[in-house]
Amino acid sequence: METYSSPRLQIDSAMPGSGKTTVLEHLEKLSINPVQAASLSSPALLTRMIDKGITTILIDECDRSLAPKNPSTPELLAILNSGYKRGGTRPVLEPVQGGGWEPKLMSTYSPVAMAGNAPDLPDDTRSRCIRILLMPDLNNDIEESDWEVIEEGVKDLGERLASSMDKVRDEVRVARPPLPEGCKGRIKEKWNPLRRIAEVAGGDWPDMTDELIRRDISEIQMDREDGMQTERPTLILLRDIKEIFGDKSFLASEVLIEKLAEYNPEMWGPECRFGKAITQQRMGKMLVQGWKINSYRQTSGDRLRGYLKSSFEQPWRRMKMIDPTSTGTPPNQTGRTGQAGLTGPILCRTCRTELHPSNTEGIHPTCDEPLADIT
């Protein structure tokens, strides 16, 4: 394969009898080394099939084989997700002569098409998919795929397609066509291979592909606005804290968790899915793991810890919750009355006690020493 990524095809429908299996049958005739996998019971077997060479994995009834309740689903999805990009691998153990086992990295890079009735795929898998929605043919307008009649013609088409693509392999490898505005990140990864092929094919293909890309970008945005894309709790926490802080420069941890439970009770209150309101420990862990934000004490004698608004400003900018071009709140507008120019937690040079920069003289009241900014 000459592209860096291989988008997954999600052949979807709201009800049976919409032609999903028929589409997979046609793909089988037109793909390289196809494998029909109606049941994915063994992640190890799937990896070994892919490792032997580029293999097109065709998964029928993925709403069952990749269902969240299937105990094999997490490992199967890990293989399908890692094989989305060239270089994806999975470590396995192989027997060695004389007994014992040794680890080996097996390739997982391969094309994948999945068909199912509204499969419940996680966000990270769906973001790698190009969705094809099929509707049932209630008017009987679609010609039947009678393989006894059409198989030879489809086989000939597959051979001609393979020969044509082999001739333009180098052109596809080096093609770098412009992409529609907004086609970035994961969207670019899944559409760029098809756009490069369309560029080489010429004719109406580039324009048609660009239109599909723009439509996909629009649908993703609408899904996000309709709440169809699950947001991670750390992102929701960051956004809620922004609303709670307002114009304050510092909030104690115990005050912050109380306000979180009031502001978004379904997420942080006693009735949330965790069964109890958010605690200081849980909030602190989420902020450190998600955003590297730590709590501080305002004064040396204060047992209570809390959070500086300035600690959140960079994540807020990066996530476009505030103006991305802003450089943060100037020190004289943070609500602090402390030493000019200090922008974060401070230590006493003598006793190394951590303090909030609230002393107007910039002097530790006990050691009578100047404070040093450690940020």
Side-chain angles (χ1 to χ4, degrees), residues 223-237:
D223 286 349
R224 186 179 295 116
E225 293 174 357
D226 290 341
M228 298 300 294
Q229 293 186 352
T230 305
E231 290 187 320
R232 294 186 179 276
T234 50
L235 181 61
I236 299 174
L237 179 64

Side-chain angles (χ1 to χ4, degrees), residues 29 60 118 176 185 262 334:
K29 308 298 182 182
D60 202 0
R176 294 295 183 273
E262 294 174 1
T334 62

Side-chain angles (χ1 to χ4, degrees), residues 246-353:
D247 58 358
K248 299 178 181 66
S249 62
F250 180 88
L251 280 176
S253 299
E254 63 178 16
V255 174
L256 190 52
I257 61 170
E258 290 176 3
K259 290 184 176 295
L260 280 168
E262 294 174 1
Y263 180 77
N264 190 350
E266 293 182 357
M267 193 71 191
W268 314 118
E271 304 303 321
C272 71
R273 61 190 177 98
F274 291 97
K276 62 179 182 179
I278 189 171
T279 62
Q280 294 184 39
Q281 291 76 15
R282 181 174 152 226
M283 178 181 66
K285 184 176 181 180
M286 292 175 67
L287 290 174
V288 169
Q289 291 182 342
W291 311 105
K292 291 187 177 181
I293 296 175
N294 294 93
S295 61
Y296 300 102
R297 292 186 180 91
Q298 277 194 292
T299 63
S300 60
D302 194 350
R303 291 191 310 106
L304 299 178
R305 301 179 70 90
Y307 291 88
L308 299 170
K309 182 178 182 180
S310 59
S311 300
F312 291 89
E313 288 179 340
Q314 183 179 12
W316 286 341
R317 286 196 300 273
R318 293 298 297 272
M319 301 310 296
K320 296 186 177 180
M321 296 178 186
I322 60 176
D323 183 0
T325 62
S326 68
T327 57
T329 308
N332 63 352
Q333 295 180 15
T334 62
R336 302 179 187 173
T337 58
Q339 184 179 0
L342 291 180
T343 59
I346 52 181
L347 297 179
C348 171
R349 284 198 178 101
T350 302
C351 68
R352 308 303 293 172
T353 300

Side-chain angles (χ1 to χ4, degrees), residues 95-122:
V96 296
Q97 190 173 4
W101 301 81
E102 67 177 12
K104 178 184 177 181
L105 287 177
M106 289 190 170
S107 172
T108 56
Y109 183 49
S110 64
V112 175
M114 302 174 285
N117 295 316
D120 186 10
L121 300 175

